[in-house]
């Protein structure tokens, strides 16, 4: 009988050991599977982040190409108006009577301003660089006259639009320049953070 009990005990110990090994193996397998799933989730999340970044980059590139094409059309229209007196009359939306020469100068001033603005919009200029560029452009009295003559045009902009915000920046800079007690115009006004 003692031999039977020893055999049963051995069988019970072997079964317990086998069960323990099986449980340990199952737990280890579960943990390995869990780590693999977590790694896949991280890789999937990173892939989605990269795809989102690529989509945003593609969207921005498309927007920039649209802006470049739009600016090209703008220049062609201005050129046509500058070359043809009859077309120039179509763009005369100023409240004062202007000579054809003054109208052409205002159209050129507009082209310079829009060029700087689009440089900022496309990321070629930082906000500080745009401000510096505008500070230099508006040293010219024709640019100042153009800006004043187009004030009613800017009044129709949505107040929260980027163009309205840049217009306010120009107005503030011109006020600072007018009130400055120095002839060193290039140092007037705070440079905004880029």
């Amino acid at each position: 009988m003692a031999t039977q009990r020893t055999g049963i005990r051995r069988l019970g110990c072997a079964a317990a050991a086998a069960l323990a090994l099986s449980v340990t193996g199952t737990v280890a397998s579960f943990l390995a599977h869990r780590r693999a799933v977590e790694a896949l989730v991280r890789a999937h999340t990173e892939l989605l982040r990269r795809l989102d970044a690529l989509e945003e980059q593609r969207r921005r590139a498309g927007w920039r190409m649209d802006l470049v094409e739009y600016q090209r059309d703008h220049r062609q229209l201005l050129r046509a108006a500058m070359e043809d007196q009859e077309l120039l009359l179509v763009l005369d939306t100023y409240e004062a009577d202007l000579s054809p020469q003054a109208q052409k100068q205002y159209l050129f001033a507009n082209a310079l301003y829009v060029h700087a603005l689009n440089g900022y919009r496309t990321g070629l200029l930082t906000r500080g660089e745009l401000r510096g560029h505008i500070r230099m452009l508006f040293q010219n009295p024709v640019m100042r006259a153009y800006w004043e003559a187009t004030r009613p045009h800017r009044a129709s902009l949505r107040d929260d639009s980027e163009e309205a915000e840049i217009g306010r920046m120009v107005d503030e800079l011109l006020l600072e320049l007018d009130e400055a007690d120095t002839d060193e115009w290039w140092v007037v006004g705070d440079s905004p953070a880029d």
Side-chain angles (χ1 to χ4, degrees):
M1 186 88 121
T3 308
Q4 260 184 337
R5 282 189 185 160
T6 305
I8 291 174
R9 256 191 247 155
R10 283 187 191 152
L11 187 60
C13 287
L19 182 61
L21 282 174
S22 175
V23 168
T24 303
T26 301
V27 168
S29 176
F30 172 75
L31 290 175
H33 178 70
R34 183 175 173 186
R35 283 190 296 269
V37 168
E38 288 172 349
L40 284 172
V41 167
R42 281 191 305 272
H44 181 70
T45 302
E46 176 63 17
L47 179 62
L48 288 176
R49 187 193 65 75
R50 286 183 180 178
L51 286 172
D52 285 346
L54 284 172
E55 178 61 25
E56 177 64 16
Q57 187 178 22
R58 188 187 66 71
R59 186 191 64 75
R60 284 185 182 172
W63 178 81
R64 285 184 178 164
M65 291 309 297
D66 290 345
L67 183 60
V68 167
E69 188 64 32
Y70 185 83
Q71 188 173 12
R72 185 177 298 127
D73 289 346
H74 181 250
R75 283 192 313 265
Q76 288 174 347
L77 291 168
L78 292 179
R79 186 176 300 123
M82 291 176 137
E83 292 171 356
D84 186 331
Q85 183 70 29
E86 291 177 17
L87 296 179
L88 185 62
L89 294 174
V90 174
L91 293 177
D92 185 1
T93 59
Y94 307 104
E95 292 180 359
D97 287 330
L98 297 176
S99 69
Q101 178 187 4
Q103 287 180 29
K104 288 179 182 182
Q105 289 174 335
Y106 283 13
L107 291 180
F108 188 74
N110 172 264
L112 290 173
Y113 173 72
V114 169
H115 182 73
L117 180 63
N118 287 338
Y120 170 71
R121 284 179 170 161
T122 58
L124 296 173
L125 297 176
T126 65
R127 184 143 178 147
E129 290 168 333
L130 173 64
R131 186 176 168 94
H133 193 66
I134 286 172
R135 182 186 291 135
M136 185 261 321
L137 281 176
F138 282 90
Q139 292 307 302
N140 185 288
V142 175
M143 285 296 293
R144 294 277 190 116
Y146 152 77
W147 192 253
E148 193 54 42
T150 56
R151 186 169 302 284
H153 302 174
R154 290 187 302 285
S156 67
L157 295 173
R158 259 189 17 253
D159 196 46
D160 63 340
S161 71
E162 182 180 53
E163 192 168 350
E165 182 183 329
I166 298 299
R168 286 188 298 274
M169 181 188 77
V170 173
D171 288 339
E172 290 168 9
L173 180 60
L174 293 178
L175 184 63
E176 291 172 8
L177 286 166
D178 289 343
E179 293 176 350
D181 59 356
T182 180
D183 290 334
E184 296 176 344
W185 56 265
W186 54 91
V187 298
V188 173
D190 296 330
S191 287
D194 290 328

